[in-house]
Amino acid sequence: MRTTRHDQIDAYDPLRTGAVLEVGDTETVTADVVIVGSGMGGSTLAWELRDRDLDVLVVERGRFLPREAENSQASEMFLAGRYKTAEPWFDGKTGESFQPGVYYWVGGNTKFYGGSLPRFRASDFEETQHYDGISPKWPFRYNDLEPFYAEAERLYQVHGNDGEDPTEPPRSSPYPLPPLPHEPVIERFATSLRAQGLHPFHTPNAMNLTTQEQRRQATAADGTPSQTDHKSEAENRALRPALHSEKVRLLTEAKVTRLLTDPSGSRIVAAEAAFRGRTLRIVANQFVVSAGAVNSAALLLRSANEQNPNGLGNSSGLLGRNYMVHNSTFFMGLNPFRKNTTAWQKTLGINDWYVAGPANEYPLGNLQMLGKLQAAHVKSARPWAPMWALGMVTDRSLDIYLTTEDLPTPTNRVRVDGDRIVIDWTPNNVAPHRELVGRVSTAVRKSGYPIILTERMGIATNSHTCGTAVAGTDPATSVLDPTCRSHDIGNLWVVDGSFFPSSAALNPALTIAANALRVAPEIAAAAQ
């Protein structure tokens, strides 16, 4: 086993920095801490462990995503499927396969996200009554995570503005960078919303766009990769800097298929990975799973053995259950007589109906703008429409993403059937989402967009998955303890969105990153 530099072996790394593990003919690799997955949780954890005198190995099933002109072409992403790498999953109700919205590249799903990095509200960590039931409290409070939110915002270079959002929780420090200003069309929209008594705010985001040309380059970046480093994501802000340390290494094209325990079944001794046509054994002291809420649960379920017949860390029977994915709708306001010349729209949000109050008995959710829809984005939703017609629509549309919290339900779950991943999912808490769509429709029409088009997201939209290995204080009702360590297996940790007791109604990426920073000292101490 030896370490080599990116510029010697891997053309997929655009900056050629850090250390990639070259395995050669060996059958076994060793480390102090193995991190399975290089998305927001795994890469942030590697960054935080980089100076702790531990041999850290990040194992990623994908490769470095190439930088090429096609990165910013929505047609390549959404019509040609250029960067789709996930195997099909299966709908537990119908048995039919579907293509999930997850991606296996270094940096994980953050390579394709829109850079939206809000903090959860303080109420999201507390027990909350919703229309369809209770959203449970977390095993730690907002104030416990707040310092790590601040650190994560600095790491990911978050732009924002204090004091605009009436639901914003307390902060120990201001946003690291000023907000991205609205372009003229969005500024007019914000003015109209304020005139209606609403409180539009500049959304916290990780897009470093200082010129209009950079905005034009990023137009499709909400859903596609970026050719530049203007978008802060897990690879460029956390993993690549971590790889400058001699103590952090990366193994690509290695799919971890099983975790192996000692004879007692209470400690993991190795991971098995499919690596370029052969099986690689990875031995470590501590094992951190961060492959995404679905794949992390699937890995632990597939690792069942005689001592753990229902999967590793599953004495509660909750592993894979309480799958949450948000109620979400793509929303377009259309004015046929007015073109929308905005290059990067994702600068405005509304949380006026996020918590219950005089205007709404139950929480309704969040409004945020989309980067800017193009014809290729909407073709799959309207396959019968010609591209020229879709282009005329998206040239004149105001594009919005609406999110309402869904609730943890044991029957919503991830299962494995041999090599297949099966998703059992029935949407819940849907009535508040319909109410949110209705209220936004009214506000958008008053703002000068008389035609409303909506598309509710279904089982194949998986960008905000969470809840499949819930954290809590009671081993009978949770999979992980409050530090995200398995109740059952002392050297197993899960640091992606699997640990979420509830989904809130906001993008989860910053909360995943902040939590990885929070639990890193616990993992480091256990590995010593």
Side-chain angles (χ1 to χ4, degrees):
M1 181 175 69
R2 65 187 178 89
T3 295
T4 186
R5 311 307 294 184
H6 285 184
D7 57 0
Q8 295 173 323
I9 69 168
D10 203 324
Y12 284 92
D13 178 16
L15 293 191
R16 308 185 192 283
T17 58
V20 171
L21 188 65
E22 197 175 70
V23 174
D25 296 328
T26 185
E27 296 181 354
T28 302
V29 175
T30 61
D32 295 321
V33 178
V34 166
I35 302 171
V36 180
S38 65
M40 185 60 95
S43 288
T44 304
L45 179 64
W47 183 86
E48 183 63 16
L49 295 178
R50 72 197 186 286
D51 294 328
R52 294 181 182 265
D53 198 29
L54 295 170
D55 182 10
V56 178
L57 176 64
V58 180
V59 182
E60 169 56 50
R61 67 189 293 177
R63 301 175 296 166
F64 284 96
L65 192 145
R67 289 198 177 180
E68 53 190 4
E70 291 83 358
N71 286 166
S72 58
Q73 296 173 12
S75 59
E76 286 292 323
M77 180 74 197
F78 294 99
L79 300 181
R82 186 177 187 88
Y83 302 111
K84 288 189 176 296
T85 52
E87 70 280 359
W89 295 349
F90 291 83
D91 185 333
K93 289 182 179 178
T94 66
E96 296 179 356
S97 66
F98 64 92
Q99 189 67 42
V102 296
Y103 307 94
Y104 307 143
W105 298 95
V106 175
N109 282 352
T110 68
K111 300 298 293 185
F112 304 88
Y113 80 155
S116 182
L117 293 179
R119 299 182 180 199
F120 282 5
R121 314 292 88 173
S123 61
D124 290 326
F125 295 83
E126 308 297 336
E127 183 177 292
T128 303
Q129 180 68 54
H130 286 263
Y131 177 87
D132 244 2
I134 297 292
S135 178
K137 68 178 181 180
W138 290 37
F140 52 89
R141 307 277 76 78
Y142 169 81
N143 287 341
D144 298 319
L145 196 58
E146 197 284 331
F148 305 101
Y149 269 136
E151 185 178 352
E153 287 171 342
R154 290 189 291 270
L155 175 62
Y156 287 99
Q157 302 175 5
V158 178
H159 297 250
N161 198 31
D162 300 344
E164 293 183 313
D165 176 5
T167 70
E168 185 173 20
R171 305 177 57 88
S172 59
S173 57
Y175 285 100
L177 294 164
L180 293 186
H182 301 320
E183 294 177 51
V185 169
I186 306 306
E187 187 59 57
R188 285 197 297 270
F189 182 45
T191 299
S192 174
L193 294 173
R194 284 191 289 268
Q196 297 174 49
L198 300 173
H199 300 83
F201 60 92
H202 290 79
T203 53
N205 67 82
M207 299 297 294
N208 295 285
L209 306 173
T210 59
T211 69
Q212 193 62 24
E213 177 58 29
Q214 289 175 352
R215 285 181 177 246
R216 283 191 288 268
Q217 291 173 352
T219 292
D222 189 2
T224 71
S226 175
Q227 286 177 264
T228 72
D229 276 332
H230 297 320
K231 177 163 70 175
S232 295
E233 27 93 339
E235 180 203 339
N236 64 5
R237 296 293 180 260
L239 185 59
R240 273 192 257 153
L243 291 173
H244 282 293
S245 168
E246 294 297 324
K247 306 300 290 185
V248 179
R249 297 166 297 157
L250 172 67
L251 176 63
T252 61
E253 300 180 69
K255 178 184 176 182
V256 175
T257 57
R258 189 174 182 84
L259 300 176
L260 308 176
T261 69
D262 63 10
S264 73
S266 61
R267 187 173 182 82
I268 299 171
V269 295
E272 285 187 350
F275 177 72
R276 299 179 183 177
R278 58 194 175 96
T279 299
L280 187 68
R281 183 180 174 92
I282 304 170
V283 177
N285 185 331
Q286 303 295 312
F287 291 82
V288 182
V289 178
S290 190
V294 171
N295 281 301
S296 289
L299 172 60
L300 298 178
L301 289 168
R302 285 179 176 143
S303 299
N305 55 28
E306 184 177 352
Q307 295 77 24
N308 301 275
N310 298 316
L312 297 190
N314 196 23
S315 63
S316 65
L318 293 176
L319 179 64
R321 295 186 181 272
N322 297 309
Y323 171 79
M324 293 171 283
V325 71
H326 281 158
N327 295 302
S328 56
T329 290
F330 279 79
F331 180 108
M332 300 171 69
L334 177 64
N335 184 329
F337 307 106
R338 182 191 301 167
K339 278 198 172 185
N340 182 357
T341 58
T342 309
W344 181 254
Q345 274 186 152
K346 205 175 185 71
T347 58
L348 180 146
I350 299 176
N351 278 334
D352 285 73
W353 307 299
Y354 192 88
V355 297
N360 47 288
E361 184 178 1
Y362 299 103
L364 301 185
N366 166 261
L367 175 155
Q368 62 181 273
M369 305 304 295
L370 291 166
K372 183 64 194 84
L373 290 180
Q374 301 176 20
H377 289 106
V378 298
K379 179 64 173 176
S380 62
R382 302 291 186 269
W384 46 267
M387 290 291 285
W388 64 265
L390 295 174
M392 289 185 65
V393 170
T394 55
D395 283 349
R396 292 162 175 80
S397 65
L398 194 71
D399 313 311
I400 295 170
Y401 188 62
L402 301 177
T403 306
T404 301
E405 183 166 349
D406 56 339
L407 303 177
T409 304
T411 53
N412 282 347
R413 64 185 297 199
V414 177
R415 294 187 286 119
V416 293
D417 180 13
D419 291 334
R420 305 197 320 172
I421 289 177
V422 180
I423 305 296
D424 296 326
W425 179 64
T426 299
N428 62 50
N429 208 37
V430 175
H433 189 65
R434 295 195 189 104
E435 176 67 16
L436 178 64
V437 172
R439 294 193 183 203
V440 173
S441 297
T442 298
V444 170
R445 286 192 178 101
K446 288 181 178 179
S447 299
Y449 297 86
I451 300 173
I452 303 298
L453 304 172
T454 64
E455 184 70 18
R456 174 84 184 280
M457 298 297 98
I459 195 171
T461 301
N462 316 106
S463 53
H464 294 176
T465 55
C466 59
T468 57
V470 63
T473 57
D474 185 353
T477 58
S478 57
V479 177
L480 309 171
D481 74 11
T483 66
C484 295
R485 188 202 301 244
S486 167
H487 287 300
D488 303 341
I489 298 176
N491 65 338
L492 170 63
W493 314 72
V494 182
V495 300
D496 53 29
S498 303
F499 85 88
F500 284 22
S502 63
S503 67
L506 293 165
N507 308 60
L510 189 73
T511 300
I512 293 171
N515 181 70
L517 298 174
R518 180 183 72 91
V519 303
E522 302 288 339
I523 296 171
Q528 297 294 338

